[in-house]
Amino acid sequence: MTVQSTQTRAAADAAATAADQEPGHGAEIVVPLNRLKASPKNARKVKHTAAGIEALAASIKVKGVLQPPVVEIERGEDGAATGAYLVTIGEGRRQALRLLVKRKAIKRTHPVKVTVDTENDAHEISLDENVTREAMHPADQFEAFKRLADERGYGPEEIGARFGVSAQTVRQRLRLGAAAPELMTAYRDGVLALDQLMAFCVSEDQERQRQVFDQCGPHTPVYAIRRAMTEAKVRADDKRVRFVGVEAYEAEGGTVLRDLFTEDGGGWLDDPVLLDRLVRDKLAGLAEDAHQREGWKWAEVGSDYQDAAALGRVYPVEVVRSEADAAQITALSEEYDRLVSETDAADNLPPEVDARLEEIDKALQAFGPDFDYPAEAKARAGVMVLLGHDGLARFERGLVRAEDAVETRRPDPEAPKAWTENEGEAETPPAPEPEADEGLAPLSERLVIDLTAHRTMGLRDAVQADVNVALTVVVHALALQVFYPAWGTWTPLQLRLSVTGLERLAPGVSDGPAGRRVADRLEAWGARLPEEARDLWAVLAPMAPSDLLDLMACCAGVGLYAVRDPHDRKPDALAHAETLATATGLDMTGTWSATAASYFSRVSKARVLEAVTEATTPEEAGRIAGFKKGDMAEAAERLVEGRGWLPPVLRTAPAVDPDAPEPEGKATEPPPADDDAYRFAAE
């Protein structure tokens, strides 16, 4: 017979004779679990949490009930003992045992040692148990967990199973238990809060913990502590990490500092030098692959978009296909569209349809792209591979170096010699009229000027009378300056468009959402336009007005320059830029966001607090008012994140309804003076 069977029988015997022989005060007896009941006199009315019961059950399963519950004898209406016992102290243990019964870890008659109380008031001792008991300080708990790991060799999973907590919780407590002694002392003394201790413990380096604690002091915000602990590391969400991958970094021997105290489990990479090398090696591999596979003259890695923006560019052209290939592509495309349309309502594609669609896709891909760079363009151009802001590689194709552009540049067609003599002089003296016997002498310059002036006037009249030609002339002049800047002057229209690069003014602006959309439009139009400027008119002349307007918008947009430079003040032009922003409904919230790097660390504290007040509440601004500048910038970034806040210089005034009635007693105010923007820039 087992010990447990013996105990169970003894408990049953004790219960059977309980009515005849009641236990006295302080007696320790064994009672079957199913005879223990909740006491109605229990002072604790809020139920135990599921996590607390789970932890007790795990502990009891491994170590048994370490402290016997205190019970009161249950009596019937006649005052006689019923054989059951009411649990005055230890209701949580009773529920944990019942949970083990539910999981079939023990029987419902499992013997439980209890202490009988027949003298004290049950409600009072229940209250006393919950009021006078002082919980263990968390620091003692953290160190005790660490001692179990160090002395017993228990891992997080084993410790978690013994105490009914998750392995992740155990890992957090072990990390906290390994904090520098100075930090644990400060935490016990109430100098440090728990979240501050967690911030110090993102790293196990106790020496670094001491350094940051000495530098920051006890009142430093949590995020500032975490930033100081990881200032020489790279965040796991950095674009370089997304590009390379943490697995590849670790495979090369790199270590990762995991944050055990955040929900997303983010972390930091300890070796930025290794990470940068891996990024460059991967980019170089992609560049070499494009070099060999696509046949460019050169391929290299760029550090940022400015490297590509400094070079010229050629664009792809439409691939000329044979009639047979074109017909086959059309047939395959139509079949693909038909199959997709026929199965659009189906939850799952039939296997035969799915297989056929895959075949068609492979067949279409075999024909290559519809637009490609001609061989002569690849022979003098190259490809540059950059790391984009989204952590993906960017391939800038068709880039032309200065020496290659000079070799292929063609001069303007040579004008008749008689037209170009003395060109550039301040004043051309009138030439005498030729004598009758001089034969077919060249026309004099003065006469040519006179005649062509009349012709120009006639041309102006003709163009004004034909709106389609006028539109084509304007688009032709704009496109020449945007897509063929090195070819010379190919139009008589005196329309000058300057395309000013913005990358030197705001590094990374070309890699943002708006910059990429602008570049995509330019690339799409560059693929449709001829390679040589002399052929541009022939392409534009038959083009539909809608396409011409689209191209004009593309060229006009890239020529806009509304940078508020205190050394290049153009108040009227800048005022019109504000009008354009309102007319287009410009919304910068999808293009720019306020961060410590982009804004808060570059303005005064007053501006930071102003931004936080506008984006959140004055109370939130007040909480960070006493921070140091760097800490305030970091805090502001987190407070305004996702709220769509913009500084005044980036805001767009709403359109005014001309039919809306003007509020009484309020005159229409002009837009803010331009000087305000310059005061902002000076700050």
Side-chain angles (χ1 to χ4, degrees):
M1 182 178 293
T2 63
V3 175
Q4 183 170 337
S5 299
T6 304
Q7 292 175 338
T8 303
R9 176 170 294 181
D13 294 341
T17 59
D20 300 329
Q21 186 177 353
E22 293 184 1
H25 176 74
E28 290 189 352
I29 62 174
V30 176
V31 179
L33 175 61
N34 62 342
R35 289 189 175 271
L36 294 178
K37 297 181 180 180
S39 173
K41 299 178 182 178
N42 194 320
R44 183 170 184 165
K45 301 303 180 184
V46 178
K47 295 182 179 180
H48 291 77
T49 64
I53 298 300
E54 186 72 42
L56 274 174
S59 175
I60 292 172
K61 183 178 180 181
V62 176
K63 299 176 282 290
V65 179
L66 300 179
Q67 184 177 3
V70 176
V71 299
E72 177 188 11
I73 300 173
E74 184 187 49
R75 300 184 183 278
E77 294 181 356
D78 57 357
T82 64
Y85 295 85
L86 304 176
V87 177
T88 306
I89 298 175
E91 175 60 20
R93 280 158 272 173
R94 188 185 75 88
Q95 292 187 27
L97 287 166
R98 287 168 58 87
L99 179 61
L100 292 176
V101 171
K102 184 178 180 180
R103 294 178 176 174
K104 302 187 183 307
I106 59 176
K107 295 181 178 180
R108 58 188 297 272
T109 57
H110 181 79
V112 182
K113 181 186 291 186
V114 299
T115 300
V116 178
D117 189 308
T118 60
E119 296 181 359
N120 295 304
D121 178 74
H123 179 268
E124 182 178 348
I125 63 172
S126 173
L127 176 64
D128 188 59
E129 168 74 7
N130 288 281
V131 171
T132 60
R133 180 180 57 186
E134 184 174 359
M136 184 181 192
H137 193 283
D140 299 332
Q141 181 187 131
F142 302 152
E143 291 182 340
F145 269 60
K146 182 147 190 328
R147 182 175 176 180
L148 281 177
D150 293 343
E151 296 182 1
R152 300 288 185 88
Y154 293 159
E157 289 75 14
E158 173 68 15
I159 296 176
R162 299 177 73 89
F163 289 90
V165 294
S166 67
Q168 176 65 9
T169 299
V170 176
R171 292 188 186 96
Q172 292 175 344
R173 294 175 181 177
L174 293 177
R175 178 70 65 83
L176 293 169
E182 294 86 345
L183 269 66
M184 293 300 286
T185 300
Y187 176 49
R188 281 191 171 94
D189 294 342
V191 176
L192 282 181
L194 178 58
D195 56 353
Q196 289 177 304
L197 181 65
M198 290 178 177
F200 278 107
C201 289
V202 296
S203 171
E204 295 179 279
D205 186 347
Q206 291 190 356
E207 185 58 35
R208 181 60 182 164
Q209 291 174 358
R210 294 187 185 96
Q211 292 174 359
V212 174
F213 184 60
D214 292 340
Q215 294 169 1
C216 298
H219 304 295
T220 305
V222 171
Y223 66 85
I225 297 172
R226 187 176 285 108
R227 182 186 62 191
M229 290 295 301
T230 59
E231 62 182 357
K233 306 178 190 302
V234 180
R235 287 178 59 95
D237 59 358
D238 186 272
K239 65 179 183 179
R240 293 170 293 174
V241 182
R242 283 181 282 164
F243 177 64
V244 172
V246 175
E247 296 79 8
Y249 167 81
E250 290 179 319
E252 290 293 322
T255 56
V256 180
L257 175 62
R258 301 290 184 184
D259 189 352
L260 299 179
F261 306 103
T262 56
E263 292 183 2
D264 59 1
W268 296 264
L269 278 64
D270 292 317
D271 195 341
V273 176
L274 172 61
L275 177 62
D276 288 337
R277 178 176 66 79
L278 293 175
V279 169
R280 189 161 190 88
D281 289 349
K282 186 173 180 179
L283 289 174
L286 294 173
E288 183 58 27
D289 178 67
H291 187 202
Q292 298 296 330
R293 180 166 43 84
E294 301 177 17
W296 296 100
K297 180 179 181 180
W298 55 267
E300 65 181 33
V301 175
S303 58
D304 53 42
Y305 186 77
Q306 183 63 24
D307 293 342
L311 301 177
R313 189 184 289 269
V314 294
Y315 294 95
V317 297
E318 187 174 5
V319 176
V320 179
R321 305 187 188 279
S322 66
E323 292 184 4
D325 286 349
Q328 189 174 357
I329 291 174
T330 301
L332 289 172
S333 299
E334 290 177 351
E335 182 184 359
Y336 190 96
D337 293 340
R338 178 178 57 79
L339 291 174
V340 170
S341 177
E342 291 175 351
T343 57
D344 185 50
D347 294 334
N348 296 307
L349 289 176
E352 62 277 7
V353 174
D354 191 31
R356 180 54 183 162
L357 290 175
E358 187 174 350
E359 290 177 3
I360 296 175
D361 188 54
K362 290 181 179 179
L364 290 173
Q365 290 182 14
F367 285 103
D370 293 332
F371 290 86
D372 199 3
Y373 295 87
E376 60 270 18
K378 291 184 178 181
R380 60 186 175 88
V383 57
M384 185 177 291
V385 186
L386 312 166
L387 179 59
H389 72 283
D390 52 2
L392 301 176
R394 279 182 53 186
F395 290 82
E396 296 293 334
R397 296 178 172 85
L399 301 178
V400 181
R401 290 170 172 161
E403 59 269 23
D404 297 322
V406 170
E407 293 174 0
T408 58
R409 184 183 300 164
R410 300 183 184 182
D412 290 344
E414 186 175 351
K417 186 175 182 179
W419 294 15
T420 58
E421 292 176 354
N422 301 321
E423 183 179 0
E425 294 184 3
E427 184 177 350
T428 303
E433 296 293 333
E435 297 294 336
D437 59 357
E438 289 183 357
L440 296 176
L443 298 179
S444 69
E445 293 177 350
R446 186 67 190 87
L447 178 58
V448 170
I449 291 173
D450 182 275
L451 295 176
T452 53
H454 282 278
R455 189 173 188 274
T456 299
M457 185 57 70
L459 189 60
R460 290 179 178 179
D461 178 45
V463 170
Q464 285 182 342
D466 192 328
V467 293
N468 290 328
V469 172
L471 174 61
T472 308
V473 169
V474 173
V475 175
H476 179 254
L478 293 174
L480 282 171
Q481 296 170 82
V482 171
F483 294 95
Y484 309 91
W487 291 89
T489 304
W490 292 81
T491 176
L493 184 61
Q494 299 179 96
L495 180 64
R496 294 291 174 261
L497 178 71
S498 297
V499 181
T500 304
L502 300 175
E503 194 69 25
R504 63 181 179 83
L505 303 176
V509 65
S510 301
D511 196 32
R516 291 308 307 155
R517 290 192 293 269
V518 169
D520 290 344
R521 294 188 190 101
L522 288 171
E523 185 172 346
W525 270 110
R528 294 181 61 180
L529 301 180
E531 184 177 2
E532 296 191 17
R534 68 178 74 252
D535 301 325
L536 179 60
W537 180 263
V539 173
L540 297 182
M543 193 173 285
S546 59
D547 286 343
L548 289 173
L549 290 171
D550 187 32
L551 177 54
M552 184 173 69
C554 180
C555 295
V558 80
L560 289 173
Y561 188 79
V563 176
R564 297 191 177 187
D565 186 344
H567 303 292
D568 183 22
R569 299 191 62 176
K570 300 176 181 177
D572 293 337
L574 294 176
H576 188 61
E578 297 303 318
T579 302
L580 288 178
T582 299
T584 58
L586 177 64
D587 182 4
M588 289 297 296
T589 58
T591 299
W592 184 92
S593 58
T595 65
S598 69
Y599 184 76
F600 295 119
S601 63
R602 303 166 66 180
V603 298
S604 64
K605 281 187 171 184
R607 287 283 185 182
V608 176
L609 296 176
E610 176 189 52
V612 174
T613 300
E614 292 178 352
T616 59
T617 62
E619 290 74 20
E620 291 287 357
R623 292 189 182 97
I624 67 172
F627 288 7
K628 295 181 180 179
K629 179 62 179 295
D631 298 336
M632 182 183 287
E634 293 282 349
E637 175 179 341
R638 288 165 173 77
L639 288 171
V640 306
E641 183 179 4
R643 297 181 180 272
W645 180 86
L646 295 171
V649 74
L650 291 183
R651 298 173 189 172
T652 298
V656 178
D657 185 359
D659 298 328
E662 183 178 332
E664 295 183 5
K666 183 176 180 180
T668 303
E669 298 181 358
D674 190 59
D675 289 341
D676 184 61
Y678 291 105
R679 288 197 298 271
F680 167 77
E683 290 176 0

